[in-house]
Amino acid sequence: MRQLVRGVLATLVLLLSACGVNEGPDASTASAEPVGETALASASRISTPDSGRPAGPAALTIVVTSPEGIDAPGLDAAVSVLAGRPDTAVVVTAPAADTTATPDGHAATALAAVDATTMTGHPASAVNGSMLDVLDAITAPGALPDLLVIGLTDDAGPESAAMIGARVAVERGIPVLVVAVGGDDPDLAGAGMLLATIADYELDALIEAPAVHVLTVPACDQGMVRGPVLVDAAAVGEPTPTVDCTDPDTGPFDDEIDAWAAGHATLARHS
């Protein structure tokens, strides 16, 4: 059993547990508006520490993608919180359309990426193919990104397009962070700010070696998501629990399942 909550993340637990009810937008409906502010997002806005990384342009390259396509609100939310990071080049490359129904699909011939934008206008490249075709486009030039972020997505099961793509990326030498959001009405703004927090405080661990890490933000019927906490991955096939965000349990937790059941966002290494 492992509970690796560091000081700043433990502070977030206290901050988030004091806030109100989740008010996230509907991730299934794309619009021309950015995702709105929520209590979780507001509580997650903490100062960015000095990571000690060398100054200068493009000291770090993060590619952001989503199996839900270039127009997905979750992709736009992820890009919005990462694009302002200092000394970081954020590159957006995603399927031209939702590919979650064909998780292991692959175009018969190589497809070139074309210029596009995300829902609210972030510059991007779109590939008229699957997540595997996107990975071909990312790795074709030979210069691998420091980190691939997949999400924010509600389709992140073991055999989903997100996780299949993540495993292929790791095979090609790219560290991956999948950001999974739960519920029919996910809090994209809050999940985005938790992604920003993980990027601020756990980035060195994420890019240390090619591996799949998963940040999961469960949905709350009452109360609010707490965390994030760093835990072990759940066993494959373990049933998803009923989430109770009013549960007073703050850990330590056996794995993701225990933490989700008590209403905590989790970060776990899956491979």
Side-chain angles (χ1 to χ4, degrees):
M1 181 172 62
R2 179 169 61 98
Q3 182 75 13
L4 300 178
V5 181
R6 297 180 175 90
V8 63
L9 301 185
T11 301
L12 272 178
V13 171
L14 297 177
L15 285 172
L16 300 183
S17 62
C19 296
V21 176
N22 191 341
E23 301 175 305
D26 186 351
S28 65
T29 305
S31 70
E33 298 295 328
V35 294
E37 180 69 312
T38 66
L40 176 58
S42 178
S44 300
R45 294 186 187 281
I46 56 180
S47 59
T48 302
D50 180 3
S51 65
R53 296 189 176 280
L60 187 76
T61 299
I62 298 176
V63 172
V64 186
T65 191
S66 170
E68 295 171 23
I70 200 71
D71 293 328
L75 173 70
D76 191 73
V79 175
S80 296
V81 299
L82 294 174
R85 291 184 57 81
D87 306 326
T88 303
V90 174
V91 178
V92 187
T93 304
D98 190 323
T99 63
T100 55
T102 55
D104 56 356
H106 208 303
T109 58
L111 301 173
V114 299
D115 290 343
T117 60
T118 67
M119 190 180 72
T120 57
H122 293 282
S125 296
V127 175
N128 191 23
S130 68
M131 279 290 292
L132 300 184
D133 296 310
V134 167
L135 289 171
D136 288 344
I138 291 170
T139 57
L144 300 181
D146 296 285
L147 179 67
L148 175 65
V149 173
I150 301 177
L152 314 171
T153 178
D154 63 359
D155 183 48
E159 298 306 318
S160 64
M163 291 302 292
I164 289 173
R167 292 194 292 268
V168 171
V170 167
E171 290 172 1
R172 298 183 184 185
I174 306 171
V176 181
L177 173 63
V178 177
V179 186
V181 292
D184 296 328
D185 190 24
D187 182 353
L188 296 181
M193 291 311 302
L194 292 178
L195 165 60
T197 297
I198 293 300
D200 287 344
Y201 290 98
E202 299 297 329
L203 188 58
D204 288 339
L206 294 177
I207 67 175
E208 183 178 18
V212 178
H213 287 83
V214 181
L215 170 63
T216 302
V217 184
C220 299
D221 290 332
Q222 295 181 336
M224 177 176 289
V225 173
R226 289 162 290 169
V229 293
L230 279 66
V231 293
D232 287 327
V236 175
E238 192 170 350
T240 302
T242 300
V243 176
D244 180 5
C245 295
T246 64
D247 190 320
D249 189 3
T250 58
F253 301 109
D254 286 339
D255 58 21
E256 295 166 310
I257 297 296
D258 279 354
W260 300 340
H264 290 264
T266 61
L267 179 65
R269 175 169 172 160
H270 280 234
S271 66

